[in-house]
Amino acid sequence: MATALVVGAGISGLATALRLTRSTWDVVVLDHGSHHEPVVLTGPDRHAAKRLAALPHPLHYETRRSRVTALHPDRFGVTVEFNDHDDEWFDIVVCAHPCCEAERLPGLCLETWSRDHVALLYRAVRDTGLPLCAAELLADAFDIYHDDYAAFAWWETTLKPHAVRRAFTRVR
């Protein structure tokens, strides 16, 4: 079974965990225990939330209150170092936390949303404004493509047009 680490238990992280578990992934969600204001769902997010809730599968994932101290991507996945237990290997790491540690970890320069099985969902969300849709699309990509690199490429090309469109339609 494929394994995923989702960093962040906000709306994007939980939507990603939900969608991946429905695609038979074994998911671990890291929650730092901070509580945020409720998220208002409108537009595409509201439609995505309705679609996610409409499926009759329960959400099963493991929640940990750990911090990631380092990521070591390889050709097949990512070895993750934690502050409070042994290193662990995952097929993918999805960073859905606003203060995503992945962008600041030593030795990991991420030029785009994903590289070597690390997806920066929060950056995609910030750039597109489509958090739940982005989570759905990421899991759809892994369902459609057997090659993880092809899945990441499809996900990025699917989200980037939204980012460009949004950049030109902002009200100043």
Side-chain angles (χ1 to χ4, degrees):
M1 179 179 285
T3 59
L5 174 68
V6 177
V7 180
I11 191 70
S12 300
L14 293 179
T16 302
L18 173 63
R19 187 60 181 81
L20 287 172
T21 57
R22 289 181 179 166
S23 299
T24 68
W25 284 68
D26 187 17
V27 179
V28 173
V29 177
L30 292 188
D31 178 14
H32 299 296
S34 59
H35 298 284
H36 303 287
E37 294 295 316
V39 177
V40 178
L41 298 179
T42 59
D45 296 344
R46 169 169 258 154
H47 296 296
K50 286 180 181 178
R51 285 193 305 274
L52 286 166
L55 297 173
H57 301 286
L59 175 59
H60 297 289
Y61 62 84
E62 178 186 350
T63 302
R64 298 181 188 166
R65 298 202 187 278
S66 302
R67 294 189 72 78
V68 175
T69 57
L71 298 176
H72 304 285
D74 57 41
R75 284 183 9 179
F76 305 104
V78 183
T79 300
V80 180
E81 292 182 22
F82 296 97
N83 66 328
D84 59 356
H85 61 279
D86 292 337
D87 299 355
E88 197 168 342
W89 186 88
F90 294 91
D91 290 289
I92 63 165
V93 174
V94 180
C95 298
H97 193 271
C99 302
C100 182
E101 294 88 5
E103 293 182 291
R104 299 191 304 265
L105 289 174
L108 189 65
C109 277
L110 295 167
E111 304 292 331
T112 62
W113 290 340
S114 64
R115 182 183 130 202
D116 297 330
H117 305 280
V118 179
L120 293 178
L121 181 64
Y122 183 76
R123 182 181 292 172
V125 167
R126 182 189 66 209
D127 292 347
T128 64
L130 301 171
L132 291 177
C133 294
E136 278 192 303
L137 287 171
L138 179 60
D140 287 343
F142 288 115
D143 286 346
I144 295 167
Y145 296 95
H146 295 291
D147 176 25
D148 290 346
Y149 289 106
F152 278 135
W154 179 83
W155 183 63
E156 289 178 3
T157 57
T158 302
L159 288 178
K160 282 185 182 179
H162 292 288
V164 171
R165 187 178 316 125
R166 186 168 179 220
F168 288 108
T169 58
R170 286 190 182 146
V171 178
R172 297 190 191 258

